Amino acid sequence: MGFARTCSVALAGVEGVVVEVQADLEPGVAAFTLVGLPDKSLIESRDRVRAAVVNSGADWPQKKLTVGLSPAFVPKSGSGFDLAVAVAVLGAAERIDPKEIADLVMIGELGLDGRVRPVRGVLPAVLAAAEAGYRQVVVPQQTAAEAGLVPGISVLGVRSLRQLIAVLTGAEVPQEDLAEAGRPDAMFAGLMVPGAGVGTGLAAGDRGGGGDGPDLADVAGQHAARTALEVAAAGGHHLLLHGPPGAGKTMLAERMPAILPPLTRQESLEVTAVHSVAGILPPGEPLVRTPPYCAPHHSATMQSLVGGGNGLPRPGAVSLAHRGILFLDEAPEFSGRALDSLRQPLESGHVVVARSAGVVRLPARFLMVLAANPCPCGRHTLHGSGCECPPSAIRKYQARLSGPLLDRVDLRVGVEPVQRADLLGQGGRGEPTAVVAERVREARARAAARLEGTPWNTNSDVPGHELRTRWQPAPGALGAAERDMERGLLTARGLDRVLRVAWTVADLAGRDRPDERHVDLALELRTGIARGAAALLGGAG
């Protein structure tokens, strides 16, 4: 009787569980049994593994073979267990020393010819292995750079099973043929799911962070909206842009990622793990360094926004936008269920999705930008435009953005039609992206210095109680906000959000704490009622 074991990782969302892959050989009729709650793709690994072992020059054991995946109660899915199953079988057949593979974690799919194909979710799998105490992993060569992002882990990237056998047995490692330069490599096909990256802003050309992207200077006029965009980026505040079609709402939202600060190392690892599981991580660029931008179509379902799918849930749009921007264009056209499903992640920074196959917790700390027209035809606020929408249709259209959802939106700014003088550039171009981004970085640095030693990073994260007691504004600064609260224009949550925005405005203006002018601007950006503070930023302090 022969026995061997090695390890792999089962993923549930973006979290992993180390699975022990055990192989047992007994005398009897040749058979291959796979146990341990595998799914359909994992059951099919029996045929892939047998063909890969034979085509790699090793003999397939003609005995009764049982492969167990432990713990048995954890659902296992995907083809990433192939490599571990093949090596465990070879260890049980004494082709490989079982002691050499007992503490190895192996992740990879096997082709019928023995080549090791890349799979999704390598980074969260290696992170789970590191947390469990393992120090050596074997992954497909195409994902070795992604696995190498985890500190303290020795990574071996292999292109074929025969290469791994040679490494484990001390034999000469054979060289595998690489794809010729300029020709597509079919081995990269396992890394990206077709269509999964549409609208996420993660194409290879979008990641460079160069100056070829859209610039804020291209936006004509819209001074109030530009101010709101800057405040939202500096403090991580959610934003609603409402106005007629063609005013520039989408243009403003598309230019927002460029003014956000680059991701920190920890944030980059979080975002990369989500995108690796989702299958939208381009090969050759394993680490996401810039905030993602996700803009789902208004026909998106609730499951596509928060996560779902057959079996264990997959990341949805809110998770793909983690540490970045979720832009909902034509927001009232989204279904009410889809919009209200955003309320939990807006507050908690994560989403818990329960399905029959299990419960998954996915990260979802994003900056939400909504764009909305005033009525179904979009001409309600235009003078002499001939809007024919009845009042009941206008009320119904605007009510699609529910009160509880809007209460979580810090900034609500009207985007007026562009005037002829602004469009022709007679008033001069606005500030370019680089200038605004530098001001945002300085404001973020002031907030980070103030919040050092706390669990919060931006002003939007700080609880209202802390702002009212630990970091108090200037005396009398909240007078106008308190009066609005007494008149019912602000809720208690709304008052806290106004105070957070006021701290962001003070950071942008270079002040130590917000005064009455900063609170007035925060109120103006939230309620839309002019208070004479719109020109506070953009160079004036």
Side-chain angles (χ1 to χ4, degrees), residues 106-350:
M106 303 186 188
I107 305 162
E109 176 187 330
L110 286 175
L112 300 183
D113 57 355
R115 289 184 299 171
V116 180
R117 302 185 64 90
V119 294
R120 294 177 285 111
V122 166
L123 178 58
V126 176
L127 284 170
E131 292 174 359
Y134 292 87
R135 291 294 173 262
Q136 291 181 308
V137 296
V138 180
V139 299
Q141 189 180 66
Q142 293 85 351
T143 57
E146 181 181 344
L149 297 174
V150 181
I153 286 285
S154 175
V155 178
L156 174 61
V158 294
R159 288 188 65 88
S160 67
L161 179 59
R162 62 177 64 90
Q163 278 189 342
L164 181 56
I165 294 173
V167 171
L168 295 175
T169 58
E172 182 180 355
V173 179
Q175 295 296 323
E176 298 290 340
D177 295 334
L178 301 176
E180 296 181 11
R183 296 187 59 186
D185 189 352
M187 297 297 286
F188 285 108
L191 289 178
M192 296 191 70
V193 176
V198 174
T200 60
L202 291 174
D206 297 329
R207 289 169 159 251
D212 297 332
D215 197 294
L216 263 177
D218 300 333
V219 179
Q222 307 300 356
H223 303 294
R226 290 170 61 98
T227 297
L229 213 67
E230 182 177 343
V231 172
H237 306 287
H238 306 305
L239 171 64
L240 167 64
L241 300 172
H242 56 87
K249 301 185 295 293
T250 304
M251 281 187 68
L252 287 163
E254 289 175 344
R255 282 150 180 78
M256 193 168 184
I259 66 176
L260 290 175
L263 300 176
T264 65
R265 174 72 177 185
Q266 180 60 35
E267 292 171 345
S268 293
L269 289 176
E270 293 175 9
V271 175
T272 302
V274 175
H275 294 171
S276 178
V277 170
I280 59 174
L281 198 62
E285 297 183 51
L287 188 63
V288 180
R289 295 183 176 87
T290 56
Y293 174 81
C294 189
H297 190 260
H298 63 257
S299 61
T301 62
M302 182 182 71
Q303 290 77 13
S304 67
L305 286 181
V306 301
N310 297 327
L312 287 174
R314 294 271 303 280
V318 296
S319 296
L320 297 180
H322 181 58
R323 301 295 182 183
I325 295 173
L326 177 67
F327 176 49
L328 302 183
D329 199 4
E330 306 291 348
E333 298 293 344
F334 283 78
S335 71
R337 291 183 64 226
L339 290 174
D340 286 338
S341 68
L342 301 176
R343 286 151 58 176
Q344 177 198 354
L346 286 175
E347 285 292 323
S348 62
H350 64 267

